[in-house]
Amino acid sequence: MKQYRLPAVFMRGGTSKGLMLHRGDLPADQAAWAPLFLAAMGSPDPYGRQLDGMGGGLSSLSKVCVIGPSSRPDADVDYTFAQVQIKTSHVDFRPNCGNMSSAVGPFAVDEDLIRVYGDEAVVRIHNTNTGKIIVARFGTEDGLAAVEGDLAIPGVAGTGAPLHLDFLDPAGATTGRLLPTGSVADVLEVAGFGPVRASMVDASNACVFVLAADLGLQGDETPAAIEADTRLMARLQAIRVAASVRMGVAADETSAAASTAVPFVGFVAPPAGGSDADFQARVLSNGQPHRALPLGVSVCLATAARLEGSVVHDVCRAAPGVDLKIAMPSGVLPVTAAVQRDADGAWRVERGGFYRTQRRLFEGTLLLRHPLPA
């Protein structure tokens, strides 16, 4: 049977991997993208492995990024992110992926979407999912994004060239408000499990955080241990669903349960004895515990840590004005969050930032079973 060709690049961005596609190579109608992305990644797959596509059976390995000319005068490129579900026929265009954001600038440079001069590139990226601007700064060699370097990041073997990301004005990326409920902490009534104190914060991505101790946990549980605890997984899912409705992300519990990407759900705890981290965090999305923190969630965690009265602030030991160090299953992640309180008491998030590495892994042609829609 004839297969159909689509130019594509496969890249690692931080602790994620995904397909990088040119906007001009896709159908003009974005509504036609979802079936294409499902087929490309090998979804839906009841076995959860995506063997007939480019996906890797984990949410961090089932991603698509679409890059094209900017639709805004304050950006160099537009970037649309797609989270492709593994076992179901759902593609979520609402969240952004912070890790894959680190691949967008280098892709734009290497694909000649923008021109750079000298040995450093500064790429202003408009993320169409959230309407926010991300600024990527990275070194170049012979006009291409640098790859080799001595930066090691938790969750990725070896080292690479450092790339700095600044998420500008990240508040309200999903809901339009930093604090969708108006409070830094609320009591959620969770169906089947009772009340739990939670902080629902929207910075870069919408998230709900609870205390590990309130779940009977230490906060240092491994992803495998979390996934094996079926009651805990059900409870975290119920918290996520309740928060989704409370934050206005979903209209009701049925629609909240059907959309698994946002809000992200996580639990936090004080740092373990002897650790140089400021607090511990474990995060789930798409029904899976993350081996490494999603970067958008990391911005949200760091922001929440600066909000007095939030559950994250309660367990954080960092002094104001210093970078935060968040302990996660694969190591410790440094994150910057510039959070200010205005004279009227309102919180304002100027930016969130961190360093990543990235690498172009494959370039060529993606083969599809069916032709592209017009």
Side-chain angles (χ1 to χ4, degrees):
M1 181 175 69
K2 180 180 179 180
Q3 297 196 84
Y4 298 85
R5 296 173 175 270
L6 176 65
V9 172
F10 199 61
M11 291 185 71
R12 176 182 66 79
T15 55
S16 293
K17 289 194 293 189
L19 281 173
M20 314 293 289
L21 305 174
H22 282 274
R23 177 67 177 83
D25 291 331
L26 295 176
D29 184 2
Q30 189 171 331
W33 292 5
L36 169 63
F37 294 170
L38 287 164
M41 301 310 286
S43 296
D45 182 356
Y47 302 103
R49 301 181 66 189
Q50 296 176 304
L51 288 178
D52 202 38
M54 297 296 292
L58 295 173
S59 61
S60 58
L61 309 178
S62 188
K63 301 173 182 286
V64 179
C65 302
V66 179
I67 296 90
S70 178
S71 58
R72 290 173 49 160
D74 58 347
D76 300 306
V77 293
D78 275 1
Y79 150 53
T80 302
F81 171 70
Q83 179 68 60
V84 181
Q85 301 303 307
I86 297 168
K87 293 186 177 182
T88 65
S89 297
H90 180 65
V91 179
D92 202 327
F93 290 97
R94 289 188 299 176
N96 178 30
C97 175
N99 274 291
M100 288 309 301
S101 297
S102 65
V104 173
F107 175 86
V109 168
D110 291 355
E111 295 289 304
D112 287 328
L113 292 176
I114 62 173
R115 292 292 180 92
V116 297
Y117 304 92
D119 56 3
E120 183 184 62
V122 179
V123 183
R124 298 167 300 168
I125 302 163
H126 168 220
N127 175 240
T128 65
N129 308 78
T130 61
K132 300 295 185 177
I133 297 294
I134 307 164
V135 180
R137 298 175 184 271
F138 52 94
T140 60
E141 295 179 7
D142 299 325
L144 301 175
V147 172
E148 297 300 327
D150 58 5
L151 177 64
I153 62 173
V156 179
T159 62
L163 177 147
H164 189 265
L165 287 175
D166 265 327
F167 286 70
L168 306 184
D169 184 28
T174 303
T175 66
R177 299 179 66 190
L178 173 64
L179 299 172
T181 70
S183 302
V184 293
D186 297 271
V187 175
L188 274 177
E189 290 295 335
V190 182
F193 295 95
V196 64
R197 182 167 171 263
S199 289
M200 290 165 275
V201 182
D202 182 1
S204 187
N205 276 315
C207 301
V208 52
F209 304 120
V210 298
L211 293 172
D214 288 346
L215 303 177
L217 304 172
Q218 296 296 314
D220 59 357
E221 288 76 11
T222 66
I226 296 169
E227 200 160 24
D229 189 335
T230 55
R231 179 170 173 79
L232 173 60
M233 290 290 289
R235 189 176 186 183
L236 290 167
Q237 167 66 357
I239 291 170
R240 193 195 68 78
V241 167
S244 182
V245 176
R246 189 76 170 269
M247 299 170 81
V249 175
D252 51 48
E253 292 187 355
T254 300
S255 56
S259 181
T260 58
V262 287
F264 292 77
V265 60
F267 55 88
V268 295
S275 170
D276 66 346
D278 296 307
F279 63 93
Q280 302 182 77
R282 300 293 186 267
V283 170
L284 285 75
S285 69
N286 303 295
Q288 292 182 327
H290 280 268
R291 275 64 182 168
L293 285 180
L295 288 197
V297 178
S298 301
V299 170
C300 198
L301 276 165
T303 298
R306 299 303 193 196
L307 305 179
E308 296 176 12
S310 77
V311 299
V312 186
H313 184 271
D314 288 350
V315 300
C316 181
R317 72 178 184 190
V322 300
D323 287 358
L324 292 160
K325 292 177 286 186
I326 307 173
M328 58 177 178
S330 56
V332 176
L333 177 67
V335 186
T336 299
V339 181
Q340 306 292 332
R341 199 162 195 177
D342 294 335
D344 59 0
W347 294 101
R348 179 168 49 85
V349 188
E350 296 177 358
R351 62 182 178 85
F354 31 70
Y355 281 94
R356 296 279 86 184
T357 62
Q358 57 76 37
R359 192 165 77 87
R360 191 179 183 97
L361 304 174
F362 167 84
E363 55 187 17
T365 303
L366 183 67
L367 298 178
L368 301 170
R369 291 176 180 270
H370 304 289
L372 292 175

